[in-house]
Amino acid sequence: MPARTGADRRPLFARAPIVVLVVLAYIGVLHYAYVNHIAPLFSYLQYAYRDPDPVYYGIAIGVTVLLALLLPREIRRPSHMIAWLLYLVAVLPGIIVPQMAPALDRPEAFRLGMWVGGCFLLVVLLGTRRTLRGFIPLAPMTAANWWRLIGAFWVGLNLIVLAYAGVKWSLPSFEDVYSVRGEFRATESSDPALAYVVPMLDKIINPLLILRGLVWKRWLALAAGVLGQLYLYSLQGNKTAVLAPVALLAAYFFLKRRHPVGPTILGAGVLGSIVIMTIDLWQHSNDLTSLFIRRVLVTPGIVLMGYVQTFDPIPKAKLGYSILSDFFPYPYQKEPPDLVGAEFFDNPFTHANASWLADGYANFGYAGMLGATIILVLLLWAIDDATRGLDRVFSCLIFVMPGLALAESAILTAILTHGFFFAIVLCALAPRAGPVDENGQPEREHPADPDPPDPAAPEVARARTGELTHV
C-alpha cells in the first residue's frame, strides 16, 4: 500500500478544493436566503434585491475565494480565530451583499467590495503572521491570584451596574429588545461609566467565568458567567449577551480538536443556515432566518453600504467627535452610527453601529478604511504577543466575543470600550508554565539542553495537570 502524502493527511476542510467548495456553498446559501427569505419581507429596511452584474459579481466571488485560500487553515493563535470570524460576519458580506442590494450603483458597489477585499488582504498577509514578538511586557501572576482578580472584577463591575441600572426581574423577548435598548441608552447617557463597565462584563469577565466552567468543570463559575450575561441582556436588550454562552460552547468544542481548521467555521455557517431555513419552512415562519441570517450574516454588508451612501456626498467625520476633536470640528449633530440610522434607514432612533471598515470610511473615506485596517493589524500583533506561552484553546476563546464585537464596532471603540485592551492586559498577567509551541504544547526553553526536566518536580507535575499551562 503506498504511503500517504502530507496532503492526504490534512483534515478535509484544510484542502484547497474543499475550501473553494465551502466558500461557494456559503455564498450560494447567502444569495438564496437573501433573494427568497429576506428581500421580499425587508425591502423597506434597505434589504431590496437587484440582479448583480455578472462580471462584477464573478470577480467579487473570486476575491472572497482567494481570501479564504490565503487565510491560515489551522487555528494556532488568537489572530487566526479573529480573522476567520471577521471573514465570516464582516468581510464576505461586505464584498458580496453590495453586489445584489441596490443601495449603491453597481460600479460603486464593486469598488466598495474591492476595497473591503484589499483591506482584509492586509489582515491575512500581515495580521495573522506574528511579525513582532516580545514587545508586550508580561507579568504573570499565580493561577489562584489571577482567578481571584477575575472574581473581584466580576463582583465590582456588577455592583457598579446594579448601582446605576438596578435589577429587572424579567427577560425581554427578542421582539421587545429595541425598546429595552432605548431605555438603556438613556440610562447610559446619564451614567457614562456604564459604557465601559458593561462591555467589560459582557465581552471579557462573564465569558472568562463561562470558560472556567467549560474547561475546568467549575460549575459555580459557569453559572455566575451565564447569570451575568442574562442580567445584562435584561438591562440592555443586546442579543449577543444572551447568545454568548452558546457561541463560547460551540467555539470550545471546535478548538478542542487537535488541529482545528478555519474553513470549518464556514462549513458550520452553511449547515446552520440550511437548518435555520428548514426549521422556518416547517414552522411557516421567517423568525430564525431574520434573526440569524439577516441580522448576523447580511446586515453587516447592508450597513457598510449605508455608511458609504451617507458619507460619500458629505464631509467626512475625521474623528471630530472623538480623539481628533481638537483638530477637526465635527459638523453634525449626531455621531456616525446615529447619522446613518437617520439618513440611510430613515429612523432617527436607529443606532447603525458597523465594522471597523464602515467607521473608517465615515471618518476618512476609503483611505480611512485602510488606516483602520492598519490599526487592526497592529492590534492582532499585540494580541498574539500578549498570549505567548498561554494554552492555544484558552487564549483563542478569550477573544471570541471581542472578535465578534469588532464586526460591528469602530476599531478604536473595540480597543478601548469593547474589551480588547482589557483582555490584552489580563493575558499579560495570566500565569504561564513556561514556553509553548504554536500548538499550545509545552516546549523546553533551551532545546539543546540534554537534560530533560525532572518529571517528579512539582512545577512539571502541575504543568501536566494543566494548573499552570492552562491558567
Side-chain angles (χ1 to χ4, degrees):
M1 180 180 296
R4 297 173 65 189
T5 65
D8 293 334
R9 290 193 296 269
R10 289 179 181 174
L12 181 65
F13 278 87
R15 301 174 188 178
I18 301 300
V19 174
V20 174
L21 290 176
V22 171
V23 174
L24 295 177
Y26 183 81
I27 295 173
V29 170
L30 193 68
H31 189 110
Y32 174 85
Y34 190 86
V35 172
N36 295 281
H37 297 277
I38 296 173
L41 297 176
F42 299 99
S43 60
Y44 68 98
L45 291 176
Q46 298 288 357
Y47 293 87
Y49 174 76
R50 64 148 181 238
D51 290 328
D53 178 275
V55 176
Y56 289 160
Y57 201 33
I59 295 174
I61 291 173
V63 169
T64 59
V65 170
L66 176 63
L67 291 173
L69 290 172
L70 293 176
L71 276 164
R73 304 286 172 82
E74 188 174 329
I75 306 295
R76 294 184 176 181
R77 47 185 176 266
S79 64
H80 298 171
M81 184 74 175
I82 294 170
W84 273 106
L85 289 175
L86 293 177
Y87 177 81
L88 177 72
V89 299
V91 174
L92 192 148
I95 297 173
I96 297 298
V97 172
Q99 313 310 316
M100 54 184 175
L104 302 175
D105 62 39
R106 289 183 175 89
E108 185 61 34
F110 177 71
R111 184 184 182 196
L112 172 60
M114 295 305 98
W115 269 95
V116 171
C119 287
F120 193 67
L121 184 63
L122 290 180
V123 175
V124 175
L125 297 181
L126 298 178
T128 63
R129 303 305 180 190
R130 209 177 193 177
T131 303
L132 296 180
R133 299 168 185 250
F135 69 100
I136 298 292
L138 304 182
M141 304 170 65
T142 65
N145 285 338
W146 193 79
W147 282 112
R148 289 190 188 104
L149 177 66
I150 302 302
F153 272 122
W154 186 82
V155 172
L157 296 177
N158 272 296
L159 287 175
I160 293 174
V161 178
L162 280 168
Y164 283 120
V167 178
K168 289 189 177 181
W169 298 104
S170 61
L171 297 177
S173 67
F174 281 175
E175 289 75 20
D176 296 332
V177 295
Y178 300 103
S179 61
V180 175
R181 290 176 188 175
E183 294 173 5
F184 184 78
R185 287 187 67 190
T187 303
E188 194 176 57
S189 63
S190 61
D191 301 301
L194 291 177
Y196 297 92
V197 171
V198 170
M200 287 183 186
L201 281 169
D202 180 27
K203 304 297 190 302
I204 304 298
I205 298 300
N206 286 337
L208 274 173
L209 293 177
I210 293 171
L211 296 181
R212 184 160 171 77
L214 290 175
V215 178
W216 295 282
K217 308 300 185 287
R218 302 297 178 90
W219 307 123
L220 185 60
L222 176 64
V226 172
L227 288 175
Q229 292 297 90
L230 292 176
Y231 169 57
L232 295 179
Y233 173 69
S234 72
L235 291 180
Q236 62 175 153
N238 189 341
K239 298 171 186 175
T240 304
V242 76
L243 295 175
V246 179
L248 290 170
L249 181 65
Y252 169 67
F253 283 109
F254 165 68
L255 289 167
K256 272 187 63 177
R257 302 173 60 185
R258 183 173 179 82
H259 298 288
V261 178
T264 306
I265 299 173
L266 280 182
V270 173
L271 180 60
S273 298
I274 293 173
V275 170
I276 284 169
M277 288 188 287
T278 302
I279 293 174
D280 273 348
L281 181 64
W282 177 55
Q283 294 185 338
H284 304 286
S285 169
N286 201 54
D287 293 342
L288 293 177
T289 300
S290 175
L291 176 61
F292 290 102
I293 300 178
R294 181 180 70 88
R295 288 286 303 157
V296 177
L297 304 180
V298 173
T299 295
I302 295 292
V303 176
L304 176 60
M305 292 196 311
Y307 272 70
V308 174
Q309 186 193 86
T310 300
F311 281 95
D312 178 52
I314 64 176
K316 304 300 186 287
K318 297 180 181 178
L319 291 173
Y321 56 92
S322 182
I323 61 173
L324 297 183
S325 58
D326 292 338
F327 303 96
F328 301 108
Y330 188 62
Y332 311 112
Q333 295 296 320
K334 298 182 176 182
E335 293 189 3
D338 298 309
L339 185 61
V340 172
E343 298 294 327
F344 182 71
F345 292 102
D346 196 26
N347 187 338
F349 302 105
T350 295
H351 185 74
N353 49 321
S355 70
W356 82 100
L357 294 168
D359 180 77
Y361 185 90
N363 284 293
F364 297 101
Y366 285 116
M369 292 174 60
L370 179 60
T373 300
I374 292 173
I375 296 175
L376 174 58
V377 169
L378 297 175
L379 175 63
L380 294 178
W381 288 350
I383 290 169
D384 284 344
D385 201 49
T387 56
R388 66 188 187 273
L390 292 180
D391 172 66
R392 171 184 57 81
V393 175
F394 189 72
S395 61
C396 288
L397 286 172
I398 291 174
F399 289 94
V400 167
M401 299 313 298
L404 289 173
L406 187 57
E408 56 180 13
S409 302
I411 184 66
L412 297 180
T413 302
I415 293 172
L416 299 175
T417 305
H418 289 302
F420 274 107
F421 180 78
F422 188 42
I424 288 172
V425 172
L426 289 179
C427 288
L429 297 175
R432 287 152 169 85
V436 296
D437 61 23
E438 289 192 340
N439 293 315
Q441 302 301 316
E443 65 180 10
R444 277 183 285 171
E445 189 170 359
H446 304 289
D449 186 353
D451 298 323
D454 181 3
E459 292 81 3
V460 177
R462 286 197 297 270
R464 286 182 172 178
T465 61
E467 181 180 338
L468 295 179
T469 302
H470 302 288
V471 191

